[in-house]
Amino acid sequence: MALVRSRAVALAVALACTALAAHAAPPIEQQMSPEEFKAAGLDKLSADELVRLNTWLGRTIETENAKAAATAKKRVEDENRGFFNFGSMDPIRSSITGEFRGFGMGRSYTLQNGQVWRQVDDASLAGVRLTDPEVTVSPSVIGNAWYISVKGYATRAKVTRVK
């Protein structure tokens, strides 16, 4: 839980820093040495052309920063689904790695996507033996409860994410 909070805080700090960096970027003539500026041929630009170049660079940096921030946000949300409700009601579709012998209270289910879920209710699916079965882990409509179901079976078990 503390790891998830620290990741969320780290993401927030990274997003804030990215936004500040985009707005605080000095004009290109201040970022380059006079020799670099001249060697790049930028000294031949008029004042208006230089303003347009700086405006374009600023927009490009902001666009790329926004893309990077969105990618980082999605990665954090995807990695932490099940620990917190990030607003996505989309189910997680994966497979249980190895043999599945039905549901049972306290059992852990390791998915191919690396997530580990532990059953916290007494749902039962006795007599089932499958290898690498497809599963769906769905959030409840209300609260932060999650349910796992195996493709081809109607029984669902309540689970909590442990990894």
Side-chain angles (χ1 to χ4, degrees):
M1 199 60 96
L3 175 62
V4 175
R5 279 192 207 116
S6 67
R7 283 184 178 173
V9 170
L11 174 63
V13 170
L15 294 176
C17 290
T18 299
L20 288 174
H23 294 293
I28 193 165
E29 59 271 25
Q30 292 176 7
Q31 296 180 51
M32 301 174 89
S33 71
E35 295 79 23
E36 291 171 324
F37 191 77
K38 186 173 182 174
L42 298 176
D43 60 324
K44 298 174 188 157
L45 297 176
S46 69
D48 184 54
E49 291 169 329
L50 196 53
V51 166
R52 290 174 187 263
L53 175 62
N54 279 314
T55 301
W56 180 85
L57 286 172
R59 275 195 323 267
T60 301
I61 290 169
E62 285 182 30
T63 300
E64 291 305 313
N65 282 340
K67 286 180 191 175
T71 301
K73 180 179 183 279
K74 181 169 178 14
R75 191 182 96 239
V76 168
E77 288 177 354
D78 288 347
E79 288 176 359
N80 292 296
R81 285 200 65 218
F83 290 123
F84 291 109
N85 181 358
F86 283 109
S88 174
M89 295 304 287
D90 295 333
I92 298 166
R93 299 186 196 291
S94 189
S95 297
I96 292 176
T97 57
E99 188 175 23
F100 172 73
R101 294 186 178 203
F103 292 133
M105 173 72 112
R107 289 187 182 170
S108 290
Y109 309 104
T110 301
L111 307 185
Q112 287 182 346
N113 65 11
Q115 296 176 352
V116 179
W117 296 80
R118 184 176 55 246
Q119 185 173 334
V120 295
D121 70 359
D122 59 357
S124 175
L125 194 56
V128 175
R129 282 201 166 164
L130 301 169
T131 302
D132 300 327
E134 292 180 38
V135 296
T136 302
V137 183
S138 304
S140 63
V141 177
I142 299 173
N144 194 26
W146 291 78
Y147 295 88
I148 190 169
S149 60
V150 177
K151 185 176 182 181
Y153 296 88
T155 304
R156 297 183 333 154
K158 187 175 183 180
V159 291
T160 59
R161 184 157 172 210
V162 294
K163 177 180 175 214

